[in-house]
Amino acid sequence: MAYQYNRLAAYLPDPAQGPFLVPMHTLSLPAHWEEPLLRLYHGGMTEGQAERRRRVPTAAVNQLMRATAPDILTVDSTARFGSQNPWLYCQDAYPMAVTNLYIATWLKSLPRDADGPETTALLMDCFRDLDTAALSWRPGMVDPLEQTVSPGRTALPAPRVYRLLPDVLAERIARQQPYEHHGQQLWFRQVAGRTGARGQGSGGAELMSNVIEYVPRRRGGSDGRPAYYAATLRITVRTVPFSPVPRVHVAAGVRRFVTGKVYMPYGKGVSAYLLPDDSLVHDGPQPQRFAVAMLEWKNGNTDWRQGGAEGMLARISALDALPSPDRLVKEADHWIHGRDGIRIAIGHQAAMGRHTIGTGLMPSERRRLVEWAEQAIAPEFVPVPKLERSALARPPKKQLKKLPSIPKNIEKKDPEDLAVILDERDLNAAHNTQVLRARLAEALEGEDLTAVVLHQSDTILDQMIAAAETGLGLAGHRRVQGPDTWVWEAEELTVRLYAKPLGGLGAPLGGDSVPRRGQEHDKAIEELPVHDTRRRRRARLRPGAPPVQAPRARGRRRAGGPHAPGRATN
C-alpha cells in the first residue's frame, strides 16, 4: 500500500512555550589574554606567517578534552576573548584545578619549538602576564535559540547554537527511561562533541547506546564469532530558506565496532570510544559521557594522537589509565565489556572491510527510536507538518511532437522523400510552438511574457530575436520592432523584449591590460566601483523597461515547506 504522507524527523520551536533558557556554567578567556597569547603563538614565525594566523588555535586542547573530559563542551576551534564569548560550557562547574591544568597544557602546545630557549622565555613571560587564578566557571542562563533574521526572512542562528542546542536536547534524551530493543534495555549516553568546526559544520550532538552483542549462527548450528554494535542518535540544527525559525533534525543509526585486530589506515585516525569508571585526570569528576580518543599509525608506530612521550596526554598524566595502543589494536574487543576500570570500543570503518552488522536500521526501527527520542524534547519543540502525497504524482503527458531527423546524406536522398520529411518537421514545429505559447500563457495567468536582454553586438541581438521568434512561432505576430523594444502579439500570448547594449558593464577586468591570476586579479576586483556599477546597471535597465514581476504562486503549498514573497532580478 502506498504511503499517503511522510513524517520528517524534524522539529520546530513552539512559540507558545515562550523563551527557551537553560542553566549552564561557562568559562571565558579574559580580553587581556589576547595580546600575550598571540605573542606566544607567533613566536618563531615570520611576519607573513603571523599575519595569516591571527587567531589562537584551540583545536588541539579541544581534542584533548574530548578524550579526557567529555562533559566539557567546546564551541570553537580558535580562541575568542571577552566575557561575551564563552569558550567552554558545562552542566556543572568543572574543578578549577583540573581546568587550569588544561589551560597550562594548551599554552605549552602553542609554540612551535617547545624546547628552544627563546620559547621557554616567551612561555614564562606569558604565564606571568596571565592571571590564571582569576579564571572561574560562571553560572548563568544560556539561550540556545539565540539568532537573528536575514533580510530574506531566513533564520541566522548564532554560531554556538549549532553546538549548544543539540547538546541540551541530547542531555534531555539521555535522562529518559531506557529504550526497549528486542527485550533488551538500551541506555543512551551522550558522546563527546566533535572538534575543529563551528556553525553548521560542527556536527551537532550524538548519543550512543550501551554495546549490543550479536552472535551469528553458523550453518552447522554452532555459534560464530560475536559482533558488536550500538544504536546512535544524532541531533543537528538546520535552517530552511525563508523560514524565520531553525529546525532540529534527529537521525537514528548504528555504530559498529571492531573485533580482533584493528586495521590502521596510514595517516588517518581510528576513533576509540572510552567510558572509564573514574576520571582519566587526577581530581577530575567521573565522566558521564563517552569520551572519544584517536589512535593513529604513523612511521611504523601506533599511538594516541594526543599522546606520546611529549604529547598532551602525557602532560596531564592520563596515559597511565589507558591501555597500550599496540595491545589495543591487536585485541580491540578485549576492553569492550570493561577491564582495568575502563570500557573501550574501536569504531569500525568501511575501509576495514566487511562487518557482520549492516550499516543501518530498518525504517520501522528507526521510526520507533525517533519517536522515543522526541518525547524528551517536547513540549518546547513540535514536529514539522506532515508531507502529504501530491495529487500530481503521475508523469506528465507528452504534449510536444518529435521532429523527424534530417538524414546526413541529404544530397543522396530522394527529393520526394526529403520533401515529406521537411513538411512533417514544419507541421510538428508549428504544433509545438502553439503548445508552448498556450502553456506559457496558462502559467503567466494573463500577464505578458517580458524579457530584458543585454547584448554586446547587433549580430548577437539579431540572433536572439530570431531564436525567440522561431522557438515560440512569433514570426507573423510582430507588432513593434526596435530599436530598443520588440513586441509580439499572438492570440494566446503577448511577448515583450527590451534590448540594451551591455557597454562598460561587460568590459574586460583591468581595462586595457588584463590582470594575471593571483594578486593582480584580486586587486583589480577590489578596485572596481561596486556601488557605482550597480547604480549604472539599474539606470541602464530602467528607461523604457517596466519592472519584471515575479510569477504568482499557484497550486496548493506543500506542508512544512518555506514560503516567502519572491522578487525577480535581471
Side-chain angles (χ1 to χ4, degrees), residues 136-147:
S136 63
W137 289 88
R138 296 183 179 181
M141 303 300 291
V142 176
D143 180 11
L145 286 174
E146 177 187 358
Q147 69 166 51

Side-chain angles (χ1 to χ4, degrees), residues 131-394:
D131 184 14
T132 56
L135 283 179
S136 63
W137 289 88
R138 296 183 179 181
M141 303 300 291
V142 176
D143 180 11
L145 286 174
E146 177 187 358
Q147 69 166 51
T148 57
V149 179
S150 74
R153 300 295 298 164
T154 298
L156 298 174
R160 64 177 183 172
V161 167
Y162 291 96
R163 285 189 185 271
L164 286 180
L165 181 56
D167 191 81
V168 169
L169 300 182
E171 193 269 336
R172 291 171 58 167
I173 295 173
R175 291 202 308 262
Q176 285 199 123
Q177 292 299 312
Y179 176 76
E180 297 288 339
H181 173 70
H182 295 292
Q184 183 179 356
Q185 291 186 336
L186 298 183
W187 294 89
F188 280 79
R189 289 177 181 264
Q190 291 175 260
V191 179
R194 295 180 180 179
T195 62
R198 65 194 300 261
Q200 293 196 40
S202 63
E206 185 182 26
L207 297 107
M208 190 169 72
S209 73
N210 46 292
V211 175
I212 306 170
E213 180 177 316
Y214 170 72
V215 181
R217 300 287 293 180
R218 294 175 177 171
R219 291 185 178 180
S222 60
D223 293 341
R225 186 173 186 176
Y228 301 97
Y229 69 102
T232 61
L233 286 168
R234 182 168 293 280
I235 305 167
T236 54
V237 174
R238 292 292 181 260
T239 58
V240 177
F242 313 119
S243 173
V245 292
R247 292 187 178 190
V248 172
H249 286 216
V250 179
V254 297
R255 173 166 287 114
R256 302 170 295 172
F257 301 112
V258 178
T259 55
K261 189 175 181 179
V262 180
Y263 167 74
M264 299 290 295
Y266 183 80
K268 296 183 179 180
V270 176
S271 299
Y273 297 85
L274 318 174
L275 190 60
D277 296 340
D278 201 357
S279 174
L280 297 178
V281 185
H282 183 63
D283 291 336
Q286 181 182 359
Q288 301 301 312
R289 308 184 183 192
F290 285 103
V292 184
M294 301 296 292
L295 287 165
E296 64 178 357
W297 182 80
K298 200 170 185 180
N299 299 327
N301 297 317
T302 302
D303 207 343
W304 300 104
R305 178 165 289 179
Q306 298 300 326
E310 299 298 332
M312 287 186 170
L313 285 173
R315 291 173 184 168
I316 63 173
S317 304
L319 284 177
D320 296 338
L322 296 173
S324 166
D326 290 330
R327 185 180 177 190
L328 182 59
V329 298
K330 294 177 182 178
E331 303 174 293
D333 52 339
H334 193 66
W335 285 267
I336 206 163
H337 293 301
R339 187 181 181 89
D340 302 327
I342 190 171
R343 279 174 277 180
I344 304 177
I346 307 296
H348 181 272
Q349 300 180 6
M352 296 178 181
R354 182 181 177 275
H355 196 280
T356 304
I357 305 299
T359 56
L361 295 172
M362 294 296 291
S364 58
E365 189 70 54
R366 189 184 306 116
R367 175 180 57 82
R368 287 193 294 269
L369 186 54
V370 170
E371 289 177 348
W372 171 83
E374 74 179 21
Q375 300 175 37
I377 65 176
E380 288 83 1
F381 290 83
V382 295
V384 300
K386 300 175 182 178
L387 301 182
E388 298 183 358
R389 180 178 288 275
S390 171
L392 305 175
R394 295 182 179 179

